[in-house]
Amino acid sequence: MTRITVAKGDGIGPEIMDATLDIILAAGAQLELDEIQVGEQVYLAGNSAGIAKESWEVIRRNKVFLKAPITTPQGGGYKSLNVTTRKFLGLYANVRPCLSLHPYVKTKHPHMDLVIVRENEEDLYAGIEHQQTDEVVQCLKLISRPGCEKIIRYAFEYARQYERKKVTCFTKDNIMKQTDGLFHQVFDEIAAEYPDIENEHWIIDIGAAKMADTPELFDVIVMPNLYGDVLSDVAAQIAGSVGLAGSANLGEECAMFEAIHGSAPRRAGQNLANPSGLLQGAVMMLIHIGQTDVAEKVQNAWLKTIEDGIHTYDLYKEGISTQKVGTKEFAQAVIANLGQKPSTLKAVNLANGTPLNLPKYQRKPPARKELVGVDVFVHWNGTNPDELARLLKPLESEKTTLSMITNRGIKVWPDGFSETFCTDHWRCRFKPAKGNTLGKLDLIFLLVKAVENNIDTIKTENLYDFNGKPAFSLGQGQ
Ligand code: NAD
C-alpha cells in the first residue's frame, strides 16, 4: 500500500481525476489517498502561492503527488504552483513520453515514440533577472555540474529501464561554450558509462527541426530546461494531441505526476473532458512506486480502448471512432478492458522493469582556480568606444590593464568596426599587467578608482582559469 497525495484542481480537474482514480483502483492499485486543495480557490482566498502550508506537509510526508490541472487566476501576483512545486521539492527531471496512436489519433508521424527528458530546475529558469542600464536587462543562465549529471544519468537509466536504444542530447554549445558546453561534456562523460545504449548530440536548432520532421528517428532526448520546455510541447502536439500526454516531475525525494494540458474551464462540469493525459501521468506514478503490473494493465486497457474507437469529443472522428463518449463512460470502457491488450497498437510490457539506479551526486575534488582578470560592466551613454577606453585609462595600474571592451558581447575596442551598433551596456575587460598576478584586492582598488573617476560600474565578473584552462568567453571578434 502506498500513501499518495491527490489534488483534484480546477475546471475539468475533478472529473478527470475521478476517472483516473476509478481506473487505477479498479486495476488493483494499492493506494491510500490524502486529498489536498490547490489552485484557484486557494489563490482567491489570498494565498498567492495557490497552496496552503498544511498541504506542503502532506506532500512532503507522502512524497508522491498526483495533481490535476489548476486555473491560475488572471491578473498579477499569483505564483505558478507548478514552478514553485518543482523548485521547493527539487524535482529536477521532467519526463514526457510522446507516443503516436496512429491510425486512431490523427498525426503526420505514425511511428513516433519518443520521450523528452527535460532538466527542470536551472538554466534561465533560475529566475535571476536584473535591469542594469536604461537599455539593457539580463537573465542569468545557470547550469551546474550536479544539475547536468543528475538529469543526464536519469535519461540513461530511464532508457535502460524501458529498453530504449538511444539517448540524444540537444544543446547550443557552438554558441554557449561554457553553459551548454558543460551539459554536452557531462553527456559525453555519462554516455561512456552506458555502452549498451547508443548516444548522439545535435545542435538544438537542427535537432529540433529534425525532431519535428522525422520524430521516429529519436528515442530518448535529454536537454536543458528552456529547450525542453519548448520542445516537449512540440513533441506532444505532433504526436497527435497535447490532450493525451502526461508528465512526471521527479526529484531525489519526491515526485509529482500530472497531465500536460490545463484546466480547460470551458469544458468543466459537462462530462466532456478526456482523462487520458492525467491517466498517463498516473501510469508513470504507478511505475515509480513499483506497481508496474498495475501500470501495465492500465496502459494496455487504455490502448485497447483507444483502438476500439471509444473516444471523447476531442479525439472523435467519423470513420475512425466508433463511439463518442463522456469522461465517465470513457473510464468505464477502460475498466471493462482491464486485462486485455491492444491488437494493432503496441502493447506495453513493464513487468520486467528494473528499478532506476540513481546514485547520489558525488562532488569532485575542487579544481585549481586562478584569478586571471575581471570584466567590469559599465553603464555609459556615449557611442564611441575609443572615448570610453580613454575614460577607463585612469583605472589601469601597474597591476591591471584594459584589454578589451565589448558591447553585447561584440568586441568594439581595440580595433572595432564603426558599423557595430552599441547600447549603453559595456563589458570592460581588465587583465593583469605583464609579469603580474591578480588578487581580489586589486579588483577592489579598480572599482574604487572607477568611483573616483565617475565611471558607473554596474557589476563585475571575475575571470578564472580552472586547472590552467580559461573558463570564460572571449569577445566576439577577439
Ligand atoms: P488548456 O490546456 O486548459 O486548454 C487548451 C485547449 O485544449 C482547450 O480548447 C481545451 O478545451 C482543450 N483541452 C485541454 N485539456 C483537455 C482534455 N483533457 N479533454 C478535452 N479537451 C481538452 O489550456 P488553456 O485554455 O490555455 O488554460 C486554461 C487554464 O489552465 C489556465 O488557467 C492555465 O493557467 C491553466 N493551466 C494549468 C496547467 C497545470 O495546472 N499544469 C497547465 C497549463 C495551463
Side-chain angles (χ1 to χ4, degrees):
M1 199 58 90
T2 305
R3 195 161 179 159
I4 65 163
T5 308
V6 165
K8 293 193 175 177
D10 301 314
I12 59 170
E15 298 160 74
I16 59 173
M17 181 60 86
D18 287 341
T20 297
L21 292 174
D22 284 350
I23 296 168
I24 61 176
L25 293 173
Q30 300 292 303
L31 300 173
E32 275 181 274
L33 310 175
D34 280 328
E35 193 181 331
I36 57 162
Q37 277 286 324
V38 293
E40 200 170 21
Q41 294 314 314
V42 185
Y43 281 119
L44 295 177
N47 184 323
S48 69
I51 179 167
K53 200 161 158 274
E54 308 77 72
S55 302
W56 277 124
E57 282 158 25
V58 180
I59 292 175
R60 291 170 73 188
R61 186 182 65 223
N62 291 341
K63 302 198 186 313
V64 177
F65 182 22
L66 182 63
K67 179 183 147 296
I70 60 163
T71 303
T72 310
Q74 295 289 312
Y78 300 108
K79 296 203 185 73
S80 157
L81 180 63
N82 273 7
V83 176
T84 316
T85 310
R86 282 176 200 158
K87 290 202 171 164
F88 271 169
L89 300 182
L91 307 180
Y92 66 87
N94 181 271
V95 181
R96 189 180 289 185
C98 298
L99 169 70
S100 136
L101 299 171
H102 174 82
Y104 309 101
V105 176
K106 195 164 172 273
T107 167
K108 294 182 187 130
H109 306 286
H111 305 296
M112 173 172 181
D113 178 10
L114 63 80
V115 181
I116 302 236
V117 176
R118 161 190 170 195
E119 198 290 321
N120 221 5
E121 286 186 297
E122 43 189 53
D123 191 358
L124 290 158
Y125 289 58
I128 307 176
E129 294 195 297
H130 304 92
Q131 177 161 5
Q132 301 191 314
T133 65
D134 291 322
E135 293 178 346
V136 175
V137 287
Q138 77 164 15
C139 174
L140 281 187
K141 170 159 168 143
L142 295 180
I143 300 278
S144 73
R145 177 167 270 277
C148 296
E149 283 193 14
K150 283 187 337 190
I151 193 69
I152 292 164
R153 191 172 293 288
Y154 184 89
F156 278 97
E157 283 294 324
Y158 180 97
R160 191 171 267 174
Q161 187 187 33
Y162 289 87
E163 295 177 0
R164 288 184 173 263
K165 306 275 177 289
K166 182 170 77 174
V167 180
T168 304
C169 175
F170 283 175
T171 72
K172 187 80 183 171
D173 69 336
N174 54 334
I175 302 293
M176 282 161 280
K177 297 190 167 70
Q178 297 292 326
T179 48
D180 283 21
L182 177 62
F183 198 91
H184 187 175
Q185 181 194 328
V186 172
F187 177 78
D188 288 344
E189 286 168 19
I190 291 185
E193 295 177 32
Y194 295 82
D196 50 321
I197 299 167
E198 201 186 320
N199 71 80
E200 62 180 9
H201 173 268
W202 289 87
I203 298 293
I204 176 87
D205 37 31
I206 189 64
K210 232 178 156 52
M211 187 199 81
D213 183 55
T214 39
E216 61 277 9
L217 294 181
F218 295 97
D219 201 345
V220 175
I221 314 180
V222 64
M223 56 193 127
N225 205 343
L226 175 63
Y227 311 142
D229 191 0
V230 177
L231 288 192
S232 56
D233 269 15
V234 173
Q237 180 71 34
I238 66 172
S241 165
V242 266
L244 288 176
S247 87
N249 293 275
L250 302 133
E252 282 173 5
E253 298 272 324
C254 299
M256 172 173 81
F257 301 86
E258 59 185 346
I260 70 167
H261 60 71
S263 58
R266 284 191 309 126
R267 308 288 179 192
Q270 299 158 61
N271 190 38
L272 281 173
N274 187 347
S276 296
L278 188 59
L279 185 66
Q280 291 302 291
V283 167
M284 286 192 262
M285 176 189 78
L286 291 168
I287 298 168
H288 177 79
I289 60 178
Q291 299 188 22
T292 44
D293 49 341
V294 187
E296 180 182 311
K297 201 166 167 190
V298 170
Q299 188 68 354
N300 285 331
W302 175 72
L303 290 168
K304 170 93 170 65
T305 308
I306 299 280
E307 198 178 87
D308 286 345
I310 303 174
H311 294 166
T312 41
Y313 83 92
D314 53 315
L315 297 186
Y316 187 84
K317 285 251 152 34
E318 288 287 343
I320 293 176
S321 309
T322 54
Q323 263 186 74
K324 191 191 256 179
V325 292
T327 316
K328 283 189 189 139
E329 295 73 29
F330 182 80
Q332 281 153 13
V334 178
I335 291 170
N337 279 335
L338 287 169
Q340 299 198 54
K341 288 189 175 161
S343 39
T344 314
L345 293 172
K346 194 168 153 231
V348 296
N349 177 4
L350 301 168
N352 310 327
T354 47
L356 288 192
N357 164 31
L358 293 166
K360 282 236 183 263
Y361 172 72
Q362 299 284 334
R363 182 167 282 171
K364 291 197 170 37
R368 190 164 40 82
K369 177 177 161 190
E370 190 190 349
L371 186 66
V372 295
V374 63
D375 281 345
V376 178
F377 288 76
V378 169
H379 183 175
W380 184 62
N381 289 327
T383 50
N384 181 355
D386 292 337
E387 192 186 335
L388 179 59
R390 262 195 311 279
L391 293 173
L392 292 171
K393 203 77 192 150
L395 276 58
E396 292 187 322
S397 66
E398 71 283 1
K399 284 294 206 64
T400 49
T401 53
L402 180 67
S403 73
M404 168 183 85
I405 301 175
T406 70
N407 195 289
R408 291 184 301 173
I410 302 147
K411 191 188 74 167
V412 291
W413 182 92
D415 310 323
F417 285 14
S418 59
E419 292 87 346
T420 306
F421 180 81
C422 291
T423 68
D424 58 359
H425 183 272
W426 308 81
R427 172 177 61 167
C428 310
R429 177 161 291 178
F430 288 86
K431 302 279 276 183
K434 241 191 165 54
N436 273 300
T437 51
L438 282 185
K440 288 268 173 69
L441 275 180
D442 298 318
L443 309 187
I444 292 169
F445 291 144
L446 186 66
L447 290 181
V448 170
K449 282 198 204 149
V451 176
E452 287 168 357
N453 286 277
N454 290 321
I455 301 291
D456 183 2
T457 57
I458 49 176
K459 72 160 187 173
T460 61
E461 293 284 354
N462 295 351
L463 308 179
Y464 290 111
D465 281 0
F466 278 84
N467 287 339
K469 274 205 221 123
F472 48 86
S473 53
L474 299 177
Q476 262 162 43
Q478 197 185 12

